Amino acid sequence: VTSNGSIGRDPPAETQPQNPPPQPAPNAWQVIKGVLFRIFIIWAISSWFRRGPAPQDQAGPGGAPRVASRNLFPKDTLMNLHVYISEHEHFTDFNATSALFWEQHDLVYGDWTSGENSDGCYEHFAELDIPQSVQQNGSIYIHVYFTKSGFHPDPRQKALYRRLATVHTSRMINKYKRRRFQKTKNLLTGETEADPEMIKRAEDYGPVEVISHWHPNITINIVDDHTPWVALLETNPYLLALTIIVSIVHSVFEFLAFKNDIQFWNSRQSLEGLSVRSVFFGVFQSFVVLLYILDNETNFVVQVSVFIGVLIDLWKITKVMDVRLDRERKVAGLLPRPTFKDKSTYVESSTKVYDDHKGWYSWVLSMLYGFLLTFGFITMTPQLFINYKLKSVAHLPWRMLTYKALNTFIDDLFAF
């Protein structure tokens, strides 16, 4: 009789779960069919990725043919060099002969066999009278002009000036640096090694004086590149902004994944439910990926990210196993031999039984076979088996996995 007075039926007796009947082993034809089907799928996917790039549309907006970018000066163009020295950042004193520092005519663009040493280099030496204003915290600039032969860099000379026949760059050639005065004395003799003039300047200007410096050597280089660039002129600014945003978000999620992965393993006291073999294989996988991106000259940010991942995977080994250095038995008689021993929380739990369910030989063979058929899904096998046996996934680093999943979605979006 229940609390509300109603009479309930007796609950049925709990029945013992019956083991499912063993499934018959697949015959040889079924195995061959499965292998051939997987080979066909792998061949189809690889053929799709091996397709050549689609021909680029050379038509611009409105159906007009897209014109490739080109150098303002074609190769072997005769040009003149004009170098001016001025106190002004924007130079206009083309008629002042004192401002003209160097002038060279009939230089050949792209000729690397001319010059005094037949290496395409020219040198010019001269002395400059530094104005008093520059010596009193002023600035001095160098203005370099290259013009096609027969033209002049002065815009006021209408007959000799062409905007598309002139290139120009400027640079401030002096820098401001701090000079500190040391008034230290020898404790034995009571004398100082500092110059008396420096001591007087220290008394006048204080222990620190800001003075102007300039380097006596200036190098002017010419870029010799005649590649006809086209995917550069028509870059969509929205696509460029999306690329920047995706890169920043990817870096943030990568950092958060590293942070939470370290926090998870650092605070883990028990290895119940975690596959030690997956940790070791993760080190191998990360190391292979690192070697691959180093061989293919990938972006530096990607290289740093993968390298940090390798270091974290190596650190995980010390969290899942007791690592010791055996100094009595050395490798080649020089280096201590590292020894690995399972932690007590791993040995005493049922996780080790599930992790060792087939033995090393069968496990390696199944892993290699799965790698040939399913590529990167190999790393999921041991952990999935443990999750199935424990009937729980609460032991997994869900924050790290969440960030990884978000990063995968972002990578897919970026690839699209």
Side-chain angles (χ1 to χ4, degrees):
V1 181
T2 59
S3 59
N4 58 5
S6 61
I7 301 177
R9 297 180 179 178
D10 293 336
E14 295 184 356
T15 58
Q16 296 293 333
Q18 298 179 357
N19 293 328
Q23 299 181 355
N27 55 32
W29 172 242
Q30 291 177 339
V31 173
I32 294 175
K33 259 197 324 185
V35 172
L36 291 178
F37 178 74
R38 287 174 174 82
I39 292 176
F40 172 75
I41 295 297
I42 295 172
W43 172 82
I45 295 175
S46 60
S47 299
W48 174 266
F49 284 105
R50 281 201 301 265
R51 289 182 179 178
Q56 296 184 356
D57 184 13
Q58 298 297 328
R66 183 182 300 172
V67 180
S69 62
R70 58 183 178 85
N71 275 9
L72 195 61
F73 288 10
K75 191 174 178 61
D76 299 329
T77 299
L78 288 179
M79 56 188 182
N80 300 333
L81 168 67
H82 304 268
V83 179
Y84 299 91
I85 303 295
S86 173
E87 301 178 50
H88 304 287
E89 184 176 2
H90 302 285
F91 184 73
T92 57
D93 299 332
F94 292 95
N95 296 327
T97 57
S98 59
L100 182 61
F101 177 76
W102 185 17
E103 189 174 21
Q104 191 82 24
H105 291 274
D106 295 333
L107 297 173
V108 180
Y109 183 34
D111 180 17
W112 301 104
T113 60
S114 59
E116 299 178 356
N117 300 322
S118 299
D119 55 358
C121 297
Y122 295 85
E123 294 182 350
H124 180 71
F125 300 92
E127 292 186 358
L128 292 176
D129 294 331
I130 304 300
Q132 190 66 26
S133 59
V134 177
Q135 300 181 33
Q136 296 178 351
N137 293 336
S139 301
I140 187 169
Y141 296 87
I142 182 173
H143 302 273
V144 181
Y145 292 86
F146 280 99
T147 63
K148 292 182 180 180
S149 183
F151 294 92
H152 195 272
D154 188 1
R156 292 171 296 186
Q157 300 187 23
K158 302 297 184 180
L160 298 177
Y161 175 78
R162 295 291 185 275
R163 184 179 63 85
L164 297 181
T166 306
V167 291
H168 163 239
T169 184
S170 300
R171 183 63 58 88
M172 189 173 71
I173 57 178
N174 66 319
K175 295 183 178 180
Y176 298 101
K177 295 185 179 181
R178 296 181 179 181
R179 178 168 63 180
R180 298 183 180 274
F181 300 104
Q182 302 292 340
K183 297 190 296 183
T184 57
K185 295 183 179 180
N186 192 317
L187 296 179
L188 298 178
T189 61
E191 299 179 355
T192 178
E193 298 179 357
D195 189 357
E197 183 180 355
M198 294 292 113
I199 296 178
K200 185 177 183 306
R201 293 181 67 89
E203 296 174 352
D204 297 337
Y205 298 99
V208 178
E209 181 185 9
V210 179
I211 58 177
S212 180
H213 297 260
W214 55 85
H215 200 277
N217 181 24
I218 295 178
T219 302
I220 302 173
N221 292 321
I222 300 178
V223 177
D224 184 18
D225 184 12
H226 302 276
T227 305
W229 300 103
V230 178
L232 187 62
L233 295 178
E234 301 295 334
T235 301
N236 192 324
Y238 296 103
L239 180 61
L240 179 61
L242 178 63
T243 303
I244 297 175
I245 294 174
V246 167
S247 301
I248 294 176
V249 174
H250 180 277
S251 300
V252 171
F253 282 160
E254 192 78 17
F255 170 78
L256 293 176
F258 287 150
K259 169 180 172 293
N260 286 275
D261 195 17
I262 294 175
Q263 288 180 345
F264 173 82
W265 288 99
N266 192 39
S267 60
R268 192 72 182 181
Q269 302 296 331
S270 174
L271 296 179
E272 178 106 18
L274 297 174
S275 174
V276 175
R277 284 174 172 77
S278 295
V279 174
F280 275 89
F281 192 83
V283 175
F284 169 74
Q285 186 180 23
S286 301
F287 187 71
V288 171
V289 173
L290 177 62
L291 294 180
Y292 175 79
I293 64 172
L294 291 177
D295 183 61
N296 288 271
E297 299 180 358
T298 317
N299 184 275
F300 177 74
V301 177
V302 178
Q303 295 179 0
V304 172
S305 176
V306 176
F307 181 73
I308 294 176
V310 171
L311 295 181
I312 293 177
D313 288 337
L314 290 173
W315 171 76
K316 288 180 185 177
I317 295 179
T318 63
K319 305 300 293 184
V320 299
M321 300 195 77
D322 293 326
V323 182
R324 298 287 184 269
L325 294 178
D326 191 351
R327 303 184 182 278
E328 296 181 356
R329 297 183 300 170
K330 297 183 177 181
V331 179
L334 299 175
L335 301 177
R337 184 187 302 274
T339 59
F340 301 91
K341 184 180 179 182
D342 292 333
K343 288 184 177 291
S344 58
T345 57
Y346 178 70
V347 176
E348 297 172 358
S349 66
S350 58
T351 304
K352 180 174 175 57
V353 179
Y354 303 147
D355 216 8
D356 292 339
H357 67 286
K358 286 188 177 181
W360 276 103
Y361 180 74
S362 298
W363 185 82
V364 171
L365 285 182
S366 62
M367 285 297 158
L368 292 177
Y369 180 74
F371 179 78
L372 293 176
L373 297 181
T374 57
F375 299 104
F377 295 99
I378 181 175
T379 57
M380 301 170 58
T381 305
Q383 189 64 60
L384 290 175
F385 183 77
I386 293 176
N387 298 342
Y388 168 74
K389 286 295 184 180
L390 297 180
K391 300 296 188 296
S392 174
V393 292
H395 48 269
L396 294 177
W398 280 109
R399 287 188 177 181
M400 185 272 293
L401 294 176
T402 302
Y403 288 122
K404 286 286 187 181
L406 292 174
N407 237 0
T408 302
F409 173 77
I410 291 175
D411 290 342
D412 294 340
L413 175 65
F414 185 63
F416 173 76

